[in-house]
Amino acid sequence: MRDIAVTSAIMVFAVLASWLLSSLFLPMGGTLLILQLGSVACATLFSRFNGILAALFGAVSFNFFFTEPLYSVRMTNADDAVNMATFIIVAILTSELTAFYKKQQTALRKAQLQANVLRSVSHDLRTPLSSIIGSMETLDSYYHSLSDEDKREL
C-alpha cells in the first residue's frame, strides 16, 4: 500500500511539474517526457504493477490536462492511443529490466560470497599444510643430522 501511495505522489509531482513548465515554456513533447520519467521512476523503484499504474496515471493525466479538449478524458485520435501504449510499454520494459538487473546483482553478491568463503577455507587449510610440508622436508633433508628428540618433534 505504501508503494502505491509513493507511486501516486511521484506521478502527482510529475503532473504538477509538467503543468507548471508547460504554462511557462515547455513544449508538448517535454510534457510527455516528464510524465514518462515519473512512470519510469515508479517502474524502477517498485514493481511492474506500480509502473503500469504510473503509466496509466501519466497517460490519462496527459490526455486530461494537455490535449484538446482540455479537462476531459477523450481518446479520439490515434495519437492518444499511441501515447497510452508508449507509456505502458516503457513501464513494462523498465520494470522487466530492473527485475533482471536486481536478479543479476543478487547472483553476483552470492558468487562473491562463495569466492570469499572459498578463499578463507583455502587459506585456513594452507597454513597447517605448509607447516606439515616444511617439517617433512626438514626430516627428509636432515634426517641423519637431527637428534632423536628433534625427529620426534618434527
Side-chain angles (χ1 to χ4, degrees):
M1 200 63 184
R2 180 187 144 300
D3 292 351
I4 292 174
V6 175
T7 296
S8 299
I10 289 171
M11 291 310 296
V12 166
F13 178 77
V15 169
L16 289 174
S18 296
W19 180 76
L20 177 66
L21 291 173
S22 71
S23 66
L24 297 175
F25 61 87
L26 191 67
M28 194 66 70
T31 302
L32 273 171
L33 288 174
I34 289 174
L35 293 172
Q36 190 68 62
L37 179 63
S39 172
V40 166
C42 293
T44 302
L45 293 172
F46 305 113
S47 65
R48 177 192 285 179
F49 173 77
N50 291 73
I52 291 173
L53 182 68
L56 291 173
F57 189 98
V60 170
S61 297
F62 179 75
N63 188 279
F64 186 81
F65 291 110
F66 304 104
T67 61
E68 295 292 332
L70 292 177
Y71 310 115
S72 67
V73 180
R74 291 193 187 141
M75 298 201 177
T76 55
N77 59 29
D79 288 349
D80 297 332
V82 168
N83 286 337
M84 178 74 78
T86 302
F87 269 90
I88 292 171
I89 289 169
V90 168
I92 290 171
L93 288 175
T94 302
S95 62
E96 289 300 313
L97 288 173
T98 301
F100 177 74
Y101 174 77
K102 288 178 182 177
K103 184 179 176 183
Q104 292 294 85
Q105 288 293 76
T106 301
L108 179 61
R109 277 193 288 273
K110 183 179 177 183
Q112 287 172 338
L113 179 62
Q114 288 174 340
N116 287 341
V117 168
L118 185 60
R119 270 194 296 275
S120 177
V121 168
S122 175
H123 178 272
D124 290 347
L125 286 175
R126 272 193 305 250
T127 303
L129 285 176
S130 295
S131 77
I132 292 170
I133 290 170
S135 296
M136 295 305 293
E137 287 177 352
T138 302
L139 276 173
D140 187 41
S141 299
Y142 303 106
Y143 184 80
H144 298 293
S145 62
L146 294 172
S147 68
D148 288 338
E149 183 181 329
D150 289 337
K151 289 178 189 174
R152 272 192 300 273
E153 189 176 318
L154 288 171

